[in-house]
Amino acid sequence: MDSVTAPPAASAESAAGAAQPAGRWTRDAILELLELPFADLLWRAQTVHRQHFDANRVQLSQLLSIKTGGCPEDCGYCPQAARYHAGVDATPLLPLEQVVAAATAAREAGATRFCMGAAWRSPKDRDIEQVTEMVRAVADLGLETCVTLGMLRDGQAERLKDAGLDYYNHNLDTAPEFYGQVTSTRDYQDRLDTLERVRDAGIHVCCGGILGMGESRSQRAGLIAQLAAMHPQPESVPINNLVRVEGTPLASADPLDPLEFVRTIAAARIAMPRSRVRLSAGREEMSDEMQALCFLAGANSVFYGEQLLTTPNPRAQRDRELFARLGMSTDAGH
Ligand code: SAM
Ligand code: DTB
Ligand code: SF4
């Protein structure tokens, strides 16, 4: 490792050539990155990115809300929490045929991963049974599978793994000390416990957060440090820009400076060199130029298709035009 890529306190394990870099990216070390001159930070991120990925290639994941709204949790950013009035109607779990139809369309449009989200605090065993059928059917289409179902209990991750699940998404969302200001119906340790269950079951981990919730720069560094400290590091790291939905407590949060968002993507890339860093929610409000900077900073995946879970996302055609203008290709070769 040279001075560009080495974490500040690389452990003996990484020096010995472990598959996963085990350098200790402390919050202070991440903060130092975030405080670099913009060009220096982006150069470092590009250098790391190019050591591990084709910098002109982007992976496309398509989302589907398989169970929308009515959630008992109180996440301040989320339009699906039953207690807020964000105009989201609660619907039961989608029938299998509808899921298969959406996944087929996603594959036709060029997505390589299909992510199914449910507004549950924690799924019941009966729910898991139904989701495993969906996972099997989507995997049979040749797509990578991902689900995000809330907190898992003993044995549930194993059942999903047996069905062929590739990824489980469960976000840490923010720094530990800010978490309580965003959500009070569960704590950070609950999140870490589910992530451990997912990892122990042999499922790839998709774990990231949301920027623009009123957190400080140090708290953004704290989130990235938490993610980078996971061992192994998450294979996928979604970085969401808060979608400010009317009716949620965070509807009137001050928007984050777009360059600060780009900086945080760059820090994620440097601290997690082998992870897919996904430019996630919030693209609908981003300029093409900001998205281009995010790709330059090391983002190499997006949510694709005109809908996230309950909020809009750029249309596929518009994304394809953007990728063409940037000379980027996608994993599906489109
Ligand atoms: N209920 C499950 C859970 O909380 O883990 C799964 C679904 S939940 C909607 C998945 C993730 O979406 C959250 O962890 C959060 O990071 C993200 N999210 C939800 N609302 C958002 C918003 N308004 N803006 C950005 N990201 C959001
Ligand atoms: C993630 O980190 N972002 C996605 C996915 N994982 C599940 C969800 C974004 C949701 C944005 C708000 C909505 O559409 O409801
Ligand atoms: Fe429920 Fe997940 Fe939304 Fe929180 S983020 S309110 S747990 S759906």
Side-chain angles (χ1 to χ4, degrees):
M1 271 196 240
D2 63 21
S3 61
V4 172
T5 56
S11 70
E13 193 180 350
S14 67
Q20 185 75 53
R24 280 192 203 90
W25 280 103
T26 61
R27 176 186 296 222
D28 283 350
I30 304 286
L31 200 50
E32 270 179 40
L33 289 178
L34 292 177
E35 282 166 0
L36 283 171
F38 191 74
D40 291 354
L41 174 59
L42 258 68
W43 179 72
R44 284 186 63 166
Q46 261 289 299
T47 308
V48 172
H49 193 188
R50 284 169 183 274
Q51 284 170 352
H52 301 286
F53 291 100
D54 176 345
N56 300 310
R57 217 174 154 103
V58 63
Q59 184 272 335
L60 308 179
S61 291
Q62 185 133 349
L63 279 166
L64 176 69
S65 181
I66 56 170
K67 194 270 163 203
T68 305
C71 183
E73 302 265 49
D74 71 348
C75 312
Y77 47 78
C78 187
Q80 302 200 67
R83 66 191 72 199
Y84 309 138
H85 301 285
V88 172
D89 293 329
T91 58
L93 191 62
L94 288 184
L96 180 63
E97 312 78 68
Q98 241 173 285
V99 175
V100 171
T104 306
R107 189 187 60 181
E108 296 309 309
T112 56
R113 190 179 304 170
F114 194 68
C115 310
M116 295 164 270
W120 287 315
R121 168 177 165 80
S122 186
K124 299 186 191 67
D125 284 344
R126 226 183 75 80
D127 299 326
I128 293 284
E129 191 59 47
Q130 288 177 278
V131 172
T132 57
E133 283 177 31
M134 295 175 183
V135 168
R136 284 201 180 87
V138 172
D140 281 349
L141 295 172
L143 287 161
E144 289 183 320
T145 53
C146 177
V147 298
T148 180
L149 313 173
M151 292 184 278
L152 296 180
R153 284 186 289 263
D154 274 347
Q156 293 185 325
E158 286 72 12
R159 290 174 67 194
L160 292 166
K161 172 70 183 172
D162 289 346
L165 182 69
D166 296 307
Y167 292 81
Y168 194 90
N169 166 248
H170 201 65
N171 291 338
L172 288 178
D173 279 336
T174 193
E177 78 279 10
F178 192 63
Y179 197 75
Q181 287 183 50
V182 175
T183 304
S184 76
T185 46
R186 55 169 188 258
D187 62 25
Y188 218 69
Q189 191 56 47
D190 291 327
R191 297 306 269 184
L192 294 168
D193 290 348
T194 289
L195 288 163
E196 196 179 318
R197 290 195 162 98
V198 169
R199 184 57 86 194
D200 288 350
I203 300 169
H204 293 139
V205 170
C206 173
C207 183
I210 308 178
L211 310 183
M213 298 195 293
E215 75 285 346
S216 63
R217 176 178 265 184
S218 164
Q219 287 164 337
R220 283 186 284 281
L223 166 68
I224 303 300
Q226 281 286 334
L227 296 169
M230 289 168 68
H231 193 70
Q233 293 181 333
E235 282 79 7
S236 274
V237 179
I239 305 291
N240 298 276
N241 202 11
L242 175 69
V243 180
R244 293 170 300 152
V245 182
E246 209 55 58
T248 63
L250 284 169
S252 53
D254 286 337
L256 185 66
D257 172 3
L259 295 181
E260 182 69 13
F261 185 91
V262 177
R263 281 178 181 277
T264 312
I265 294 265
R269 165 52 63 222
I270 295 166
M272 292 171 278
R274 291 180 173 80
S275 304
R276 281 265 167 211
V277 175
R278 182 169 307 112
L279 174 54
S280 299
R283 287 199 304 122
E284 181 74 345
E285 289 187 38
M286 290 178 198
S287 67
D288 289 350
E289 293 78 7
M290 176 177 171
Q291 293 187 59
L293 281 176
C294 289
F295 296 132
L296 204 58
N300 60 354
S301 171
V302 295
F303 284 125
Y304 182 64
E306 62 195 48
Q307 178 94 347
L308 292 166
L309 291 174
T310 66
T311 65
N313 195 44
R315 295 169 63 86
Q317 179 60 26
R318 184 179 157 202
D319 277 344
R320 283 195 289 261
E321 285 165 10
L322 176 61
F323 301 146
R325 284 168 68 209
L326 297 172
M328 293 176 82
S329 59
T330 69
D331 277 2
H334 287 241

